[in-house]
Every structure is written in structure tokens, then in C-alpha cells.
Amino acid sequence: MTESPMSSPQVFGPYFTLVVFLIAAFAAVGREFWMARGLDKAYPLGRVALAVPIAVFGSEHLTSARSIMQAVPSWMPGKLFWTYFVGVALIAAALSFIFRVWIRLSATLLGIMFFCFVAMMDLPASIAAPHNRIAWTLAARESVFGAGAILLAITSGARKRTPGENRVAIGALYLIAFVSIFYGIEHFLHPECVPAVPLEKVTPLWIPAAHFWTVLTGIALVIGGGAMFVRQVSRQSAAALGAWVVLLVLSLYLAIMISQANIEGLNYFADTLMFGGVLLVASDAYDVPRKSRIS
């Protein structure tokens, strides 16, 4: 008799974290989401779509620390310590985002952490293997996650932003838009892969019109990413792209995760949900006051 993957703490822990944080998010953010109007709904939804994945990743750091520590640069001492430290920090940030406690601080630190990952691991790996598309995709992914966290830090407060904050927010928006276009082009070159974040996984053939969803998402990413550079339609474009990615997560990626109840299925679900959250948060990049803000 084959042992279920869920019997392993390395699998059960992150899945359990996903369920717990989804419930907590719905309980804590539900009222804020329903009271918001129109595009203002993107902010609380984006916050949750960032919080839940980082909680899952944090749980993985705690349950699979020996495996994850191998990715820590060889020149860094205390690899196991840093693995556990990042795991605790990710879960703390997720709680901060959901319950709106010190969001500005936690999101800023999270963004800095992701950009450190890019500088210390992803960019060196990409430069060492310049023809490896996955290495560049991972560098782009971590950069986008960092930009999304910085944007969340800037957009979390009710006070008017400073000119410097607005410049940083627009810079983060442009980075997200550029990566969206890059992802879209990758979709055209590799239509067999799952949509949204173009990594290695091939879309299962039992998914109806499997390649169609990748090509369609590629078109949306190129057009939507380009439109995010245009102030007049940037907010609508980012929100629409984010909603589309979240819809993919709740349909295609959920189906894959259910059929493949292991860490890989969960990671693709969480990865893509976080990208959707970044896009939703990017809809607030320009300093447009939200009509409904629950204090």
C-alpha cells in the first residue's frame, strides 16, 4: 500500500498552513473586501494573495529546513539558522498583512529580503548560465515579489504619500509591468508550460484546452503589462491582470494541486497566487485615494 504524501510533515505542514491562513484571511479581510467598491477591492484581495503564499513558504522553511538550507550561498555562515529565521519572518509578515499590524515595516523588510535573494542567489545564477531561461525567470519572479512587497508598504497607510514614495511606487510598478511582458513572451515560446509564471511545469493534458490558457495568458500579460506603463489605464490593467491570475489559481492550479498533493503542486499554487497578489497591489501604485478604507 502506497503511503500518502500527507503523512510526511514536510508536506502536511505547508498544506495545513495554507488552510489555516486562508480561513484567517477570509475572517479578517472579508468585511473590508465586501465594503470596498470597484477597483478598491483589489487592495485587500492583493494583500491576502501575498500573505497566504508567504505563510506557506515560511512553513516550508520550518518543515524542510535541511533541504532548503542547501540554497543558501556557500559563503554564508549559519545556513540552518538563516533558513529557520526566514521561515519565522515570512509567517510573521503574513500575519501582519492579514491583521493589518505594522504592515509598512513588515512589507518593507519583506521587499528588502526578496531583493537580497535576487542579488545573492538569483542574479549570480542567471549570469553564470545566461542561456538558462529558468534562472532568469526565477530572478524576475523574486524581483517582482520584492517590488510587490515595497508597493504594499507604500500603499498601506492612509496618509498622503511623499514625492519620494511616489517615485519608488512608480519604479516598482514599471518593474512589475516589464516582468509581466517578459512572462508573456515566454508563454508564446513555451505554450506547453503552465500559465502566469512560466517555469518548468508542463500543463497536464487532462486540463481542457491546456495550451490555449497559456497562450491566452501570454497575450493578456503582454497587453496588460504594456498598458501598466500608461497612467490613464494602469490601475485597471493591473487589477484585471491580477484578477485573471487569481482566477487561474482558483481553477487550473487548484485542480493541479488536488491531483498532485505534494510540495510541487502546492508551490506552483502559492507562487502563482503571489504573482496575482503583486499585480492587484500594483493597481494602487499611483496615489489615488481609495473610497473605502476600513480602519
Side-chain angles (χ1 to χ4, degrees):
M1 186 174 182
T2 305
E3 188 177 11
S4 169
M6 285 296 175
S7 62
S8 164
Q10 289 77 17
V11 177
F12 176 79
Y15 270 90
F16 180 75
T17 302
L18 173 67
V19 173
V20 168
F21 272 80
L22 280 174
I23 294 172
F26 280 120
V29 185
R31 178 171 172 265
E32 180 184 355
F33 177 79
W34 290 114
M35 289 191 67
R37 296 291 178 265
L39 290 177
D40 291 341
K41 289 181 181 292
Y43 176 75
L45 181 58
R47 218 171 67 236
V48 167
L50 290 176
V52 173
I54 62 174
V56 171
F57 298 147
S59 177
E60 282 189 52
H61 278 70
L62 300 181
T63 58
S64 303
R66 296 285 175 182
S67 174
I68 292 176
M69 67 180 282
Q70 303 306 317
V72 179
S74 57
W75 49 265
M76 282 190 67
K79 290 185 178 183
L80 188 59
F81 164 78
W82 288 113
T83 303
Y84 282 126
F85 178 82
V86 169
V88 172
L90 288 171
I91 292 173
L95 291 169
S96 167
F97 294 175
I98 289 174
F99 295 107
R100 302 185 71 180
V101 179
W102 294 343
I103 292 180
R104 189 178 181 85
L105 174 63
S106 59
T108 300
L109 293 175
L110 181 68
I112 293 172
M113 184 192 75
F114 276 118
F115 284 122
C116 285
F117 289 168
V118 174
M120 294 164 58
M121 296 181 290
D122 297 311
L123 198 54
S126 301
I127 294 172
H131 300 296
N132 185 339
R133 78 169 187 92
I134 299 301
W136 287 107
T137 301
L138 291 175
R141 182 190 68 177
E142 304 302 310
S143 298
V144 157
F145 289 170
I150 295 298
L151 262 179
L152 181 63
I154 293 173
T155 59
S156 62
R159 64 172 178 79
K160 185 172 178 59
R161 301 179 204 168
T162 66
E165 288 174 334
N166 276 326
R167 285 192 290 270
V168 172
I170 299 308
L173 171 68
Y174 287 172
L175 174 59
I176 294 166
F178 175 80
V179 170
S180 297
I181 295 171
F182 166 66
Y183 279 179
I185 294 171
E186 283 289 292
H187 283 57
F188 302 144
L189 298 175
H190 303 279
E192 73 281 1
C193 296
V194 288
V197 182
L199 294 172
E200 293 177 293
K201 189 171 184 60
V202 173
T203 307
L205 293 179
W206 51 263
I207 298 287
H211 294 181
F212 168 77
W213 302 114
T214 299
V215 174
L216 179 63
T217 302
I219 294 171
L221 285 168
V222 170
I223 296 175
M228 286 164 65
F229 285 103
V230 182
R231 177 166 187 156
Q232 290 80 358
V233 294
S234 178
R235 192 177 190 213
Q236 294 86 341
S237 301
L241 268 183
W244 173 250
V245 173
V246 170
L247 184 60
L248 284 174
V249 170
L250 298 179
S251 53
L252 188 148
Y253 282 92
L254 180 60
I256 292 174
M257 187 177 69
I258 292 172
S259 70
Q260 185 182 346
N262 56 24
I263 286 297
E264 183 189 56
L266 177 60
N267 277 341
Y268 273 91
F269 178 94
D271 247 8
T272 313
L273 179 60
M274 191 163 180
F275 180 50
V278 167
L279 289 165
L280 289 169
V281 169
S283 69
D284 253 6
Y286 286 102
D287 196 3
V288 178
R290 288 193 290 275
K291 297 173 186 175
S292 298
R293 189 188 293 269
I294 309 302
S295 300

